[in-house]
Amino acid sequence: MKAGILTLDDFDYRGQTVLLRVDINSPIDQATGALANDNRIRKSLPTIKELADVGARVVMLAHQGDTEDYQNLVSLAPHAARLAELLGRPVGFIDDICGPAAVARIRALQPGELLLLDNVRYLCEEVSTFVNYVQLTPEQLARTWLVRTLAPLANCYVCEAFAAAHRYSPSLVGLAEVLPAAGGRLFIEEFGALADVKDNPKHPCVYVLGGSRIADAFSMMKQVLGTGAADVVLTSGLTGEVMLLAQGYALGEPTERLIGDKGLTPFVAEARALLATYGDRILCPLDVAVDAGGRLELTVNQLPSDHLLVDIGQRTIARYVEAINAAATIFVNGPAGRYEQPISVLGTDLLWHAIAAAPGYSVIGGGDSVAAAARFKVLERMGYVCTSGGGMVRYLSGQELPVVSALRRAAQRQATR
Ligand code: 3PG
């Protein structure tokens, strides 16, 4: 048991039918339909292998894309092929989830056999339940079609999908409500790494927050500054720009228009409130880079600019690197600028290299941040790389993760049996 959740060590899976929920949601190459990255598949392998090795009949459920990211809402057939390749053993696949064909295939599984069902998000109940207008209670999720059909075929449920732990859905919460349930190896590992950053970091603890998802950065900032988990927050990207507006700097028409068009203006007031309370612990850009046909650096006192802000400047980078080097814990989410473009790569490149080389323990998460680390070839040197994005942000913002709660309820049920 870890953090109130049963682990693989708490069950004997020999000969049992296990419903294993993994998160192998992966970027897809739109031109070829092939997997563009198999990081999440690789991270799920130890649990899959462990279960198959002890002779469990392993039925894997997973999602790919969603209805807002329709281009990626595709079949899991390529995932099954990649799993088989990486595991070096057959992985069955069926283009069904809980219809009669899937049920028959599950019933026919032999000990040690692996089967991947198709994309659970082909089912309306799996997607609609986590969209704001329909939110089912755990009891209602336990009565969904997927749970009613699959749970009776299995002895237990293992959740390996920490990256989707923020989703109220049948395959994540519903199954844990009705079956003996445990967290898989990756689930427990990732939850533990983030729990340390949130509740028990070594100090000084520095949060490096950038990117364009301002709502995420602000909700994390409020929480970790409030609890004292973070000693210092280094702001960059659009988050840093909103901080500059809150400090009273005019950024110039193109940047302010972009912030307005993205609906981010309300964050300026929030930034002001945060600066009023925690001003000495929030570092803001001292200089910026603008796109003037080439990279041009300006101190914040030289603003506003007629050119778009695209990165932090070198004085800011030097100041942030100093804080990173002094930190015992470094949490990273959101690049410093548009790192895909040469004109604005410098901030993220230098910060990410500094984080990789820093003596402190680093934890990095979120699609863009991890992709940037891969691009700068520093991924291997990060302390811990999370597979989760949205789930990680919600957890660090102090929100309850429904799948964690469901697994804890399952552990309590088990204890009273
Ligand atoms: C992710 O990509 O963050 C996870 O797979 C969860 O996906 P979701 O945010 O679409 O639920």
Side-chain angles (χ1 to χ4, degrees), residues 216-241:
D216 286 357
F218 272 72
S219 57
M220 283 190 283
M221 237 189 293
K222 273 186 231 163
Q223 173 75 12
V224 297
L225 286 167
T227 60
D231 298 289
V232 178
V233 175
L234 312 179
T235 64
S236 60
L238 278 175
T239 305
E241 291 167 17

Side-chain angles (χ1 to χ4, degrees), residues 18-19 21 155-159 171-173 175-176 179-182 407:
V18 180
L19 293 178
R21 176 59 158 97
N155 303 96
C156 55
Y157 170 68
V158 173
C159 188
S171 75
L172 289 155
V173 172
L175 290 171
L179 285 169
L407 290 173

Side-chain angles (χ1 to χ4, degrees), residues 23 25 40 63 66 121 163 166-167:
D23 188 330
N25 187 19
R40 282 182 170 161
H63 73 275
D66 62 39
R121 288 194 180 168
H166 54 303
R167 297 303 190 191

Side-chain angles (χ1 to χ4, degrees), residues 145-200:
W145 185 50
L146 179 141
V147 177
R148 287 198 320 270
T149 314
L150 297 185
L153 305 174
N155 303 96
C156 55
Y157 170 68
V158 173
C159 188
E160 187 64 320
F162 185 80
H166 54 303
R167 297 303 190 191
Y168 284 89
S169 67
S171 75
L172 289 155
V173 172
L175 290 171
E177 294 298 329
V178 299
L179 285 169
R185 299 292 179 208
L186 178 65
F187 191 104
I188 298 290
E189 178 189 286
E190 193 152 332
F191 185 36
L194 290 176
D196 281 349
V197 169
K198 176 171 162 279
D199 302 324
N200 198 20

